[in-house]
Amino acid sequence: MSRRTERLGSTIRQELMQIIMRELNDPRLTGMPSITRVRVSEDLSVADVYITSMGTAGQQTAALNALRHSAGMMRAKLTKALAIRQVPFFRFHADEQLRKELEMMDLLDQVARENAELDRRRAEAGPSPSSET
């Protein structure tokens, strides 16, 4: 991504979060959705908006659908707020990358606990016979 698309993505992220928090009154938005990142295409025509939302899988899907339903209204509001010729169309996606990162962190914590337990058992067993020469 170019510097321009990165800056525009950051600005769109901030503005969309303001709109979601202040102006969207959709009952499907139960677990406050959070925009994790916005990727704007090089031609500035499309912005992929990645979100996370708390709650069950059904609630997360409902929140995603609510945002998709409100995309046109949010785009119209951004047209007034941003000083660019054309605001990109929004495509909302659930951010699977964050979920995968959290799962990886859990696995790493589990490995660290297992290693600590093995070290503790080895320390309790005393020195091994092969180390005494």
Side-chain angles (χ1 to χ4, degrees):
M1 283 193 339
S2 70
R3 188 177 184 103
R4 179 179 182 204
T5 58
E6 285 180 27
R7 277 195 335 252
L8 181 59
S10 176
T11 303
I12 287 173
R13 181 183 174 276
Q14 292 170 356
E15 293 292 328
L16 283 178
M17 281 306 300
Q18 294 297 321
I19 292 170
I20 290 170
M21 287 190 303
R22 294 185 179 152
E23 300 180 31
L24 283 186
N25 294 323
D26 195 312
R28 295 175 287 183
L29 294 174
T30 54
M32 184 54 157
S34 176
I35 299 174
T36 55
R37 59 198 155 106
V38 175
R39 297 222 185 260
V40 180
S41 65
E42 289 297 324
D43 64 356
L44 308 179
S45 64
V46 176
D48 289 306
V49 181
Y50 294 88
I51 66 156
T52 60
S53 181
M54 303 306 274
T56 65
Q59 290 171 329
Q60 292 172 0
T61 302
L64 189 62
N65 288 335
L67 292 173
R68 287 176 178 159
H69 180 77
S70 303
M73 181 274 297
M74 288 188 276
R75 184 171 183 258
K77 290 195 179 289
L78 274 180
T79 300
K80 295 174 185 171
L82 299 179
I84 59 175
R85 226 178 308 170
Q86 182 179 356
V87 173
F89 288 96
F90 300 127
R91 292 189 302 205
F92 288 94
H93 309 279
D95 193 354
E96 296 295 324
Q97 180 178 351
L98 182 64
R99 183 184 58 79
K100 289 176 183 177
E101 287 175 7
L102 291 173
E103 287 175 359
M104 184 60 68
M105 293 300 292
D106 288 341
L107 286 173
L108 290 172
D109 286 342
Q110 181 182 352
V111 167
R113 285 192 306 271
E114 289 173 0
N115 283 340
E117 178 65 22
L118 283 173
D119 290 344
R120 186 187 62 78
R121 287 182 184 170
R122 287 182 186 138
E124 287 176 356
S128 64
S130 63
S131 65
E132 297 175 8
T133 48

